[in-house]
Amino acid sequence: MSTKKNKNESILPTKIVEQTVSEAPNIIFIMADDQGYWAMGNAGNSEIKTPNLDRIAAEGMRFDNFFCVSPVCSPARASILTGRIPSQHGIHDWICGGNTTKEHEPDGKGELIEYLQGQPGYTDFLAEAGYVCGLSGKWHLGDAHHAQKGFKYWEAHAKGGGNYYNAPIIKNGKVLQESRYITDVITNNALKFLNNQKGGDAPFYLSVHYTAPHSPWGRDQHPYELYDDYDNSCPFNSVPDSLKAPDWVKYRSIPVDDTVTRRSHLSGYYAAVTAMDCGVGSILDWLDINDLLENTLICFTSDNGMNMGHHGLFGKGNASFPLNMFEESVRVPFLMSQPGTVPKGKVENALLSHYDVMPTLLDCAGLKNPEAESLPGRSFESLLRNEGGDGHERLVVYDEYGPVRMVRTKDWKYVHRYPYGIFELYDLKNDPGETENRIDDPGCRVKIKELKGELDDWFGRYVDPMLDGSHESVSGSGQYGLTGPARKGEPAFSDKYLKRFR
């Protein structure tokens, strides 16, 4: 990455906003890790058991065309929090160093790096306005040992992922091994925060960031009764059974070549989702018992999407090399509910993105977004008022993962890979499964030029030239550091996968 100074490395002002909240709703933002949009009962999957997510959808809204900003965890999460695209905040891959101690993160050598230092998130604005902000679960944006971004309650996973038992959790700045199932721990810590807010005068904001349903998916990683129930009785007709990846895929991060392995992975994945859903149910029940449902805006999403056999891949954007932008990688679940405020049982089809989350939540809290002019997102709060129409002018969404960029309209998708080539064009209206790449179709030349122009214009408006991911050798194998080769003589991104294919 560039060794120039990041222009975002500024010191936050003492007062970010001059507003305060009165009669503002509480907000609970629940985020899964690697959950596909298709992995919910309310989205049409009749095999997976998600009664509590289905309850949120039934009592509120399901957004059917919601997209992440980057199909991998750390950049996606940074974009949700700050409203910036990766080429504005500088995180282009999952963070493999700088989160915790050397014992738990050998690549990081024990260094703690606050990757978003100087870049305010919406929780900074909420906290300044009077919200009490808490986090339980995955952070994975550097220095998990210290609370950041306006959070006062901080029960963070030290790394951001790993085994479901004996996971490293930060307690008072130290790493402790948690013997209990990590999904239950994250739920219990969330409930502790909620109990601490009972009777308080200030509204609260709570991030509940599960590590589920990210791998590992072995039987030893999840409650046996859930794993065995799926393994013994689920035909898994809700996901493709093809194990062949596209011809351009040179590497699969999770290779699956036999039906036994496929069934094992799917049993663990579905079990992880159902276990997380149980935790969501506990949070909903707490709100119900304490008469806070009507004054609490509940959001549920995933940091990125997930292929579980789709396109012959298991994983998200880095399930393949070259990196991919398949629908299952970039499209995410998104649910919102608040009785009496959010329309009940509505399905919204407008094209929306995680970069729209920050302005929307600030709108819902009655706060202005002081960075609105420099950010790509637009509030979709009007959709929650059921005012008619789509209430949102955006007809296009964009994604990036290092040098891979995507523009997606209602009917078309164009994928551009800057240093590697292999461009893609899909007619989503007639080929929703993205089975036929139309990039060499002479009849599509005008459409390609149109979409490439839109992609160039949009990224040209928002990219910080010093943080431009299109020039970086992002391979999907992780990012360590902010300043690239100048940092202790090591590259920002591992080159091991790239060398294999040169």
Side-chain angles (χ1 to χ4, degrees):
M1 294 181 64
S2 171
T3 56
K4 297 179 182 178
K5 183 181 179 181
N6 180 350
K7 72 179 184 182
N8 294 315
E9 291 178 359
S10 59
I11 298 175
L12 289 176
T14 303
K15 282 290 182 183
I16 301 172
V17 293
E18 298 299 331
Q19 304 160 279
T20 58
V21 286
S22 60
E23 303 301 320
N26 304 309
I27 302 172
I28 297 181
F29 193 86
I30 305 170
M31 183 153 52
D33 189 358
D34 288 4
Q35 182 167 351
Y37 71 89
W38 49 268
M40 301 187 297
N42 60 81
N45 188 325
S46 61
E47 294 182 323
I48 199 163
K49 298 171 183 176
T50 56
N52 296 295
L53 297 182
D54 299 345
R55 174 184 170 188
I56 296 175
E59 295 178 353
M61 293 178 65
R62 175 168 63 86
F63 294 81
D64 204 34
N65 284 303
F66 219 101
F67 295 82
C68 63
V69 184
S70 183
V72 73
C73 55
S74 296
R77 289 164 182 266
S79 292
I80 292 171
L81 186 62
T82 67
R84 304 179 183 204
I85 65 173
S87 286
Q88 286 178 304
H89 58 60
I91 301 176
H92 292 290
D93 210 343
W94 61 275
I95 294 172
C96 62
N99 294 295
T100 188
T101 61
K102 182 178 180 180
E103 176 186 1
H104 298 284
E105 195 176 59
D107 288 345
K109 303 176 177 60
E111 183 179 22
L112 299 179
I113 304 171
E114 185 179 341
Y115 282 78
L116 294 178
Q117 185 175 12
Q119 302 184 53
Y122 66 79
T123 48
D124 284 308
F125 302 137
L126 292 176
E128 283 286 350
Y131 272 82
V132 179
C133 297
L135 176 138
S136 175
K138 177 168 179 170
W139 174 243
H140 210 181
L141 295 173
D143 190 3
H145 290 241
H146 300 97
Q148 302 169 40
K149 297 291 172 277
F151 287 105
K152 298 301 183 185
Y153 181 90
W154 185 263
E155 295 285 348
H157 192 292
K159 291 177 58 177
N163 290 336
Y164 281 75
Y165 293 98
N166 294 312
I169 297 294
I170 300 299
K171 294 286 186 182
N172 300 318
K174 304 295 183 181
V175 183
L176 298 179
Q177 297 290 129
E178 178 54 73
S179 61
R180 296 171 294 169
Y181 188 57
I182 188 60
T183 299
D184 294 341
V185 173
I186 292 170
T187 300
N188 290 339
N189 286 337
L191 293 173
K192 287 180 183 178
F193 171 83
L194 293 174
N195 280 316
N196 290 341
Q197 306 316 306
K198 290 173 66 173
D201 295 328
F204 61 78
Y205 169 89
L206 172 62
S207 280
V208 188
H209 292 179
Y210 290 104
T211 60
H214 195 292
S215 60
W217 303 309
R219 185 175 183 268
D220 62 327
Q221 295 289 329
H222 303 284
Y224 291 155
E225 63 274 16
L226 294 179
Y227 182 98
D228 291 345
D229 184 39
Y230 283 114
D231 191 37
N232 294 332
S233 62
C234 186
F236 294 116
N237 293 327
S238 51
V239 287
D241 60 2
S242 172
L243 300 179
K244 187 181 186 308
D247 292 340
W248 55 262
V249 173
K250 299 182 175 76
Y251 171 82
R252 293 172 297 160
S253 61
I254 306 176
V256 177
D257 298 309
D258 61 89
T259 57
V260 173
T261 303
R262 173 183 180 268
R263 169 165 287 278
S264 176
H265 285 349
L266 288 171
S267 297
Y269 184 84
Y270 278 43
V273 170
T274 298
M276 177 189 66
D277 183 86
C278 292
V280 172
S282 296
I283 294 170
L284 296 178
D285 290 344
W286 187 95
L287 293 172
D288 194 10
I289 292 169
N290 289 278
D291 296 322
L292 286 174
L293 276 174
E294 290 190 0
N295 195 37
T296 303
L297 177 65
I298 300 169
C299 306
F300 173 82
T301 191
S302 175
D303 52 0
N304 46 253
M306 192 67 174
N307 300 270
M308 290 299 290
H310 307 82
H311 311 285
L313 300 173
F314 282 72
K316 53 266 190 181
N318 60 357
S320 64
F321 185 85
L323 306 170
N324 76 83
M325 289 283 179
F326 285 126
E327 285 289 281
E328 288 74 18
S329 296
V330 298
R331 191 171 157 198
V332 295
F334 202 90
L335 309 173
M336 297 183 78
S337 73
Q338 184 182 356
T341 300
V342 176
K344 186 175 181 178
K346 181 182 178 182
V347 177
E348 174 58 55
N349 293 311
L351 292 175
L352 300 170
S353 171
H354 273 155
Y355 48 60
D356 297 320
V357 168
M358 177 178 178
T360 300
L361 292 185
L362 291 178
D363 246 9
C364 290
L367 301 175
K368 293 180 180 179
N369 179 8
E371 298 209 325
E373 294 304 315
S374 63
L375 300 179
R378 300 293 180 269
S379 172
F380 56 87
E381 190 261 347
S382 63
L383 295 174
L384 307 181
R385 298 196 300 266
N386 204 19
E387 295 180 335
D390 67 17
H392 202 270
E393 78 265 16
R394 190 175 305 286
L395 300 174
V396 183
V397 292
Y398 301 86
D399 260 69
E400 66 168 324
Y401 191 175
V404 184
R405 286 179 176 166
M406 177 203 83
V407 52
R408 197 241 198 236
T409 69
K410 179 181 177 182
D411 296 329
W412 292 90
K413 175 188 289 186
Y414 173 71
V415 178
H416 192 92
R417 294 180 177 87
Y418 282 87
Y420 314 129
I422 309 176
F423 308 129
E424 295 170 275
L425 177 72
Y426 295 108
D427 177 357
L428 297 175
K429 182 177 181 179
N430 298 302
D431 179 26
E434 300 171 288
T435 61
E436 182 182 2
N437 183 3
R438 303 283 296 279
I439 198 68
D440 294 323
D441 184 341
C444 293
R445 288 174 182 168
V446 173
K447 177 58 67 175
I448 293 170
K449 182 177 180 180
E450 172 193 329
L451 292 174
K452 178 59 163 57
E454 288 193 38
L455 184 145
D456 289 342
D457 289 347
W458 191 87
F459 279 96
R461 286 199 301 274
Y462 296 111
V463 166
D464 179 341
M466 294 190 296
L467 302 172
D468 190 345
S470 68
H471 306 309
E472 304 298 344
S473 57
V474 181
S475 65
S477 56
Q479 174 175 341
Y480 171 35
L482 295 163
T483 57
R487 192 179 195 89
K488 296 187 176 180
E490 298 181 356
F493 307 109
S494 170
D495 209 33
K496 63 181 180 180
Y497 297 145
L498 297 178
K499 288 178 179 177
R500 187 179 303 178
F501 305 117
R502 284 176 178 151

